[in-house]
Amino acid sequence: MASILRLRKLYYVEPAVKCSSVRFESLDESPKIDQKLGKKEEDVICANSLALEVKNKRKQAKEWRCMDSCCWIIGCLCTTWWLLLLLFHCWPVTLLRAPELPGPGVRLKREGLMALHPVVLVPGIVTGGLELWEGRSCADGLFRKRLWGGSFTEIFKRPLCLLEHLSLHYGTGLDPPGIRVRAVPGLVAADYFAPGYFVWAVLIENLAKIGYEGKNLHMAAYDWRLSFQNTEIRDHSLTRLKSKIELMYITNGYKKVVVVPHSMGAIYFLHFLKWVETPPPMGGGGGPGWCAKHIKATMNIGPTFLGVPKAVSNLFSAEGKDASYIRAMVPGVFDSEILGLQTFEHVMRMSRTWDSIVSLLPKGGDPIWGNMDSSPEEGHVCDFSKKSHSQTSLSDNNVNNSDVKRGFQVKGLAKYGRIISFGKAASVLHSSKLPTVDSKEFSQTSTSQNLNISCGEVWTEYDEMSRQNIQNAAADKAYTSTTLLDLLRLVAPKMMRRAEAHFSHGIADNLDDPKYNHYKYWSNPLEMKLPNAPDMEIYCLYGVGIPTERSYVYKLSPNSRCKSIPYQIDSSLSGEDNSCLRGGVYFADGDESVPVLSAGFMCAKGWRGRTRFNPSGIATHIREYRHKPPTSLLEGRGIESGAHVDIMGNSALIEDILRVAAGATGDEIGGDRIYSDILRMAERINL
Amino acid sequence: MSLLRRRKPINESSDSKPLLEKEGEEHHEEDHDEDEDDGNGKNKKTPSKIKKKPPPQSKWSCLDTCCWFIGCICITWWLLLFLYNAMPASFPQYVTEAITGPLPDPPGVKLKKEGLEAKHPVVFVPGIVTGGLELWEGRECAEGLFRKRLWGGTFGEVYKRPLCWVEHMSLDNETGLDPCGIRVRPVSGLVAADYFAPGYFVWAVLIANLARIGYEEKTMYMAAYDWRLSFQNTEVRDQTLSRIKSNIELMVATNGGRKVVVIPHSMGVLYFLHFMKWVEAPAPMGGGGGPDWCSKHIKAVVNIGGPFLGVPKAIAGLFSAEAKDIAVARALAPGFLDNDIFQLQTLQHVMRMSRTWDSTMSMIPRGGDTIWGGLDWSPEEGYSCSKKREEDDTQITDQAGAENAVCKARSANYGRIISFGKDVAEAPSSDIERIDFRGAIKGLSAANTTCRDVWTEYHDMGFAGIKAVAEYKTYTAESIVDLLHFVAPKMMARGTAHFSYGIADNLDDPKYKHYKYWSNPLETTLPNAPDMEIFSLYGVGLPTERAYVYKLSPHAECSIPFKIDTSADDEDTCLRDGVYSVDGDETVPVLSAGFMCAKGWRGKTRFNPSGIRTYIREYNHSPPANLLEGRGTLSGAHVDIMGNFALIEDVIRIVAGASGEELGGDQIHSNIRNWSEKINLQLEETQVYSSR
């Protein structure tokens, strides 16, 4: 390589020398000589500035000058750049940093806090890194390189190869044959998602300030694509976590562990709590006192206890709010048939092989998420202009009487219960005016019509649906969270069959029913009992004050003859100022991903006190953090953010975690701290 | 761009050019700017401007040429970079194959075709130096390095803030643990030691090959530990031994009760010996695993390049902070490393740092004169460097005797590990007049205060002490330990609390229950695990440091008073640059790596009461044929052997379930059998008793 490089350099030096000499002699008389300087190489590079000068009469001279200037400019830029780079590197580290407040770790250390309880971090979906252990030939040279997380350069280099490797087997939800992609272990798994984009790094750094290190800090990395029980079956992730917790408990002087799950990690850890106390063939065999003995507190950050509506749109049409905006702005780039991109189809196909997304579908059905005409959040006033809710509107809405409401405020009210509606009309009309949804009518009359053979080889289950069924499903209907599951079963029967062996989305009538011993109920807080651990504490820490996707208005895709996703969010729809409808999406309060309802309900009501879901009366605490956007660009992602991931850098949240890890109880850090309507919403839910 | 413009005139005004020309230049520059900014609009004016211009020479100044030139280079560079990135990943391999012919399949691929599959979980135990260390808490000067690697990786910080780095890498001088306010911890996971520096593999090749037959994170575990600490301290500070125990138990449990195969490398070998004793010892001092823990959990220990009996290199490192490489560098550029003007004092800093590391003391040669030879004999005597090549290929056992007779007169006295002066190293023992240094009084050096803040214990010795050391002339393995006690009393006091270098007379003595004996194979018994197997895999055919010729440093006042006499050379006796070398893998002599498996543990001995089977697998070193091969697939060097295909194949067969016999038993190229015979070590318990 080096020798080739040298050759190339020589090759370039030569013309350089030539030009300079030529320049001296020839400017006045002979442009011919200039021609010698074959512009073949620089052609491309100069093309831009060249274009301006083509018209000029003295063509050769001009070209020559262009090449000059180009090289000259680039040379100057490079030199300056290197100079600056050198300065930057020689710069004392301390000078670069703006004088900033000491982080919570330093502050608390001065207060005398010390590492006490070992800490286990449980990352959520998407944020954990995945690396390749065995792959097809297209993934040569990527052994033990990150496919997910890190710089994602491979996505641009070989996108199809990457999609293939990140997908799981459609039938089993496990590895496809010949491909092994595994979770990155250790703290590096999720400290940074991409370079510079922290997830856990800030928290880890602050924990280290008060004395945490490898022996009392553990990242329970797992393959977030798999269903929770499958992480145990394939990787023994749950057994490893159990053994790690036991080890840390013993080596740190019999101090119980503080667990900090984030996002989907919260329900993963719920699953773990049940698994570890269940006898061996299905569970970990830790015995009934395991949690009481080993766990001091679970501090759920932005937990998705009851699911997130975002997962619906993801599974249904592979788009979120952001994607649908882009789609509206540049139609045809993503779906361009000419380029053969079919981005959405690829993404959908991949994400539908991930069982874990199904775990995020809204749980609890209509009693939690609302039915056709009412929802716990109704009356929420979206204020995109960042004003806080006025107290008056709240009290108005509080009059939970449907006919009064219809009388005077019905226009502005979003019907959040209808998580998917087709057409704006379906999203606002009263339920009696809508056609009833009957899942029976979705009987698959004609299975495979195979219109789409010519449409590329991207296979999604939509290909197997007949056109008739697609339209039937859409026709001016609205779906609540219960009927939504039927809809998904219709559009993706195989995926739902696979995933529903691992997850359940209902509400238990009788928790003593022996069927609830099955692992598929373990991650649903409404179908499992918390372990018998009266000294344990459960925290719900989450951000509020950011509009969060709550329900969607859909339409049929226009060119659906050759498209395999027949639905898309109707992003043209926006309500007036006070409405929560924006770009086809109704918003509610939350942390941008998880609505308050999902994050807070279990702590606010479902587990509060001694309930049937919490028979031993584990103490629950809600800590909300109001979102404040960073004031300047310099602040990066802010230290007061409430957004789903950015909250991990929120100083107040970090302080709470540090205090608990250093031994404080929930009451000592101030008990509940509530800004949102969660208590009111929780009251409306009738369980 | 604005900055650029500001800079340029300043530069040019510094040139001593006539004013007129300078004006012209500036004119020309304006021209440029206009062209760049709005080329289109100015197009028609330019020709006339060109005519107006002063003589063309001035237009193309040196600076412009420079910029132009740099621009060209940059463009080429980017172009190449782009090409490189756009290049298919298999291209380098293709080129290599085109030049050297098709490469053999890596052993993982080959054995997968044979049908081998992952069976036993694998535990890697990295050696000294190769494991990464990262910062968890530091002084102010290390700001921004949180969780960055201080050791391993690119070592960028060593150049940026060397003193800060030395401070953080050092341990506390008294306790051998963290200094106040500094926490440097081992990197965990496979990344800890897969690559030492970018591109310099340690375990990566082995890991990649194991992955081919189905291994992954859940069946592989890197037992990373802080290699600076003494072995017991890793447990005291980080609970590393407990973690290893828990992880092995977990892997056995989750892999259907299949025992683990442990693969220690270099010092990891001693660390794992320590672990095996620790895990079965009762709780306060040990891990409390009970007497059959090892036989329940371990199938085989596959030691790679294990310095069971220590390495002479460690002595040079502790004594004068130099090894062969440094000594040569020192000879080539005298005064650079020790330059007082630059206040570098590199070696002193290095020495101060490495002397705080207890682990280096675990590598001091063990077994004393019995193993390493006395003044007049050594097990390796008669070894000839120049003949080595032919010997290796033919069968050696017969030759060795004859060779012994021939070379007797001119053979190196390997037993004398340190000699002062070449003549001393060669003279018969009766001719050496030695004055015992042990009682010598250490005078306080007057110059002590002027030596700035670099503290090494030599400053406490004074001239008298230094002279006494040199007067003793020559040291064997046993007196070396005394010597080190003399020159570095504090360090050795710390070290001897954790390590021991003797040979046990009676292994049942209750004192051997103390952890300081656990890592010395001559003072411990192997665990009671008759089904276990112990392999010793190491490279041979490379000259390896074995004994040193020292001299006093000329300027002994402010620096290390001793250094290797690089001028001493002797072809016949393997003396080169002041170092006597012998067969080995460049770091560990064959004797140290092979003796225990060849004799000390072979069969049922008192060190191996349950008769654990031992196997020796030697790999002859052959250097890579060309540069493209990198570090070669046939190397026998201490670290490079981890990429040796034959070794990897053996390892894979073992982890896939093969026993030592199925592998082919011993594979010996060196003289290890002969040399072991010469060592007179009591191996049977009864003999010990009868001799008392």
Side-chain angles (χ1 to χ4, degrees), chain A residues 82-399:
Chain A
W82 288 332
L83 213 75
L84 287 174
L85 213 67
L86 191 80
L87 275 176
F88 177 78
H89 277 293
C90 297
W91 211 258
V93 186
T94 42
L95 274 183
L96 262 179
R97 296 200 161 188
E100 55 185 38
L101 292 168
V106 179
R107 201 149 27 85
L108 294 175
K109 196 190 176 184
R110 281 193 208 128
E111 276 184 31
L113 260 66
M114 293 274 287
L116 186 71
H117 296 279
V119 172
V120 173
L121 311 173
V122 187
I125 197 167
V126 169
T127 48
L130 299 174
E131 58 187 16
L132 184 76
W133 278 84
E134 184 181 341
R136 302 267 155 79
S137 55
C138 73
D140 259 348
L142 293 182
F143 175 68
R144 284 186 62 222
K145 296 269 189 316
R146 283 195 181 203
L147 293 189
W148 188 266
S151 53
F152 285 103
T153 42
E154 294 305 323
I155 287 194
F156 303 110
K157 276 201 210 163
R158 22 190 159 173
L160 285 182
C161 180
L162 201 82
L163 284 174
E164 184 187 352
H165 282 81
L166 283 174
S167 301
L168 294 169
H169 191 266
Y170 208 90
T172 60
L174 291 168
D175 286 329
I179 292 179
R180 284 186 292 151
V181 174
R182 296 289 180 266
V184 177
L187 290 177
V188 283
D191 54 349
Y192 289 93
F193 176 57
Y197 189 85
F198 71 82
V199 181
W200 293 93
V202 179
L203 181 60
I204 293 172
E205 191 164 351
N206 281 295
L207 283 168
K209 287 267 163 44
I210 64 166
Y212 281 93
E213 60 190 53
K215 66 174 172 186
N216 46 18
L217 184 61
H218 174 65
M219 175 85 73
Y222 57 98
D223 189 337
W224 45 263
R225 301 169 304 160
L226 299 182
S227 77
F228 304 153
Q229 193 68 11
N230 275 343
T231 64
E232 169 65 15
I233 290 167
R234 200 192 69 179
D235 298 337
H236 308 298
S237 299
L238 297 173
T239 316
R240 282 158 163 257
L241 180 56
K242 173 174 174 252
S243 136
K244 202 79 201 175
I245 289 178
E246 284 167 353
L247 175 70
M248 290 211 291
Y249 172 70
I250 293 167
T251 54
N252 287 287
Y254 300 94
K255 292 274 180 300
K256 293 185 198 174
V257 174
V258 172
V259 184
V260 187
H262 173 233
S263 181
M264 190 181 81
I267 49 177
Y268 185 74
F269 196 71
L270 271 188
H271 187 92
F272 174 79
L273 287 180
K274 287 303 277 183
W275 173 86
V276 75
E277 299 204 337
T278 309
M282 199 188 275
W290 195 94
C291 294
K293 189 179 163 199
H294 291 97
I295 297 175
K296 171 186 153 59
T298 314
M299 308 195 73
N300 303 291
I301 303 176
T304 57
F305 282 128
L306 301 178
V308 282
K310 226 178 190 173
V312 177
S313 65
N314 190 306
L315 284 176
F316 195 59
S317 65
E319 59 189 350
K321 183 185 62 180
D322 324 325
S324 74
Y325 273 135
I326 298 170
R327 205 181 203 177
M329 286 201 295
V330 273
V333 169
F334 279 116
D335 322 274
S336 165
E337 283 175 46
I338 303 157
L339 293 175
L341 278 175
Q342 297 189 297
T343 319
F344 281 102
E345 285 75 15
H346 280 296
V347 169
M348 166 175 268
R349 182 160 164 252
M350 176 174 74
S351 60
R352 277 195 178 176
T353 65
W354 296 345
D355 282 341
S356 58
I357 291 185
V358 178
S359 78
L360 294 174
L361 288 179
K363 288 170 187 169
D366 295 356
I368 301 286
W369 293 94
N371 53 25
M372 294 300 255
D373 290 316
S374 71
S375 71
E377 285 118 323
E378 84 188 332
H380 174 68
V381 175
C382 296
D383 221 339
F384 288 98
S385 50
K386 305 257 153 51
K387 244 189 300 164
S388 56
H389 316 255
S390 60
Q391 204 52 45
T392 50
S393 72
L394 276 179
S395 55
D396 280 349
N397 300 332
N398 197 19
V399 189

Side-chain angles (χ1 to χ4, degrees), chain A residues 617-650:
Chain A
I618 295 171
T620 60
H621 303 278
I622 294 184
R623 307 280 294 172
E624 292 185 347
Y625 304 90
R626 189 185 284 299
H627 174 72
K628 265 188 216 161
T631 46
S632 68
L633 271 179
L634 275 175
E635 269 186 36
R637 287 152 69 200
I639 53 168
E640 290 180 295
S641 175
H644 190 59
V645 175
D646 294 357
I647 199 174
M648 312 279 278
N650 185 312

Side-chain angles (χ1 to χ4, degrees), chain A residues 40-108:
Chain A
K40 288 146 210 155
E41 307 301 323
E42 267 75 14
D43 247 344
V44 190
I45 301 139
C46 309
N48 285 337
S49 35
L50 185 67
L52 300 173
E53 294 174 312
V54 175
K55 293 169 205 160
N56 206 294
K57 289 165 196 166
R58 303 187 57 169
K59 217 174 182 179
Q60 272 81 21
K62 277 295 107 184
E63 278 166 9
W64 201 84
R65 297 211 44 186
C66 152
M67 192 176 73
D68 268 357
S69 330
C70 276
C71 289
W72 187 83
I73 291 169
I74 289 169
C76 286
L77 283 179
C78 283
T79 323
T80 340
W81 175 247
W82 288 332
L83 213 75
L84 287 174
L85 213 67
L86 191 80
L87 275 176
F88 177 78
H89 277 293
C90 297
W91 211 258
V93 186
T94 42
L95 274 183
L96 262 179
R97 296 200 161 188
E100 55 185 38
L101 292 168
V106 179
R107 201 149 27 85
L108 294 175

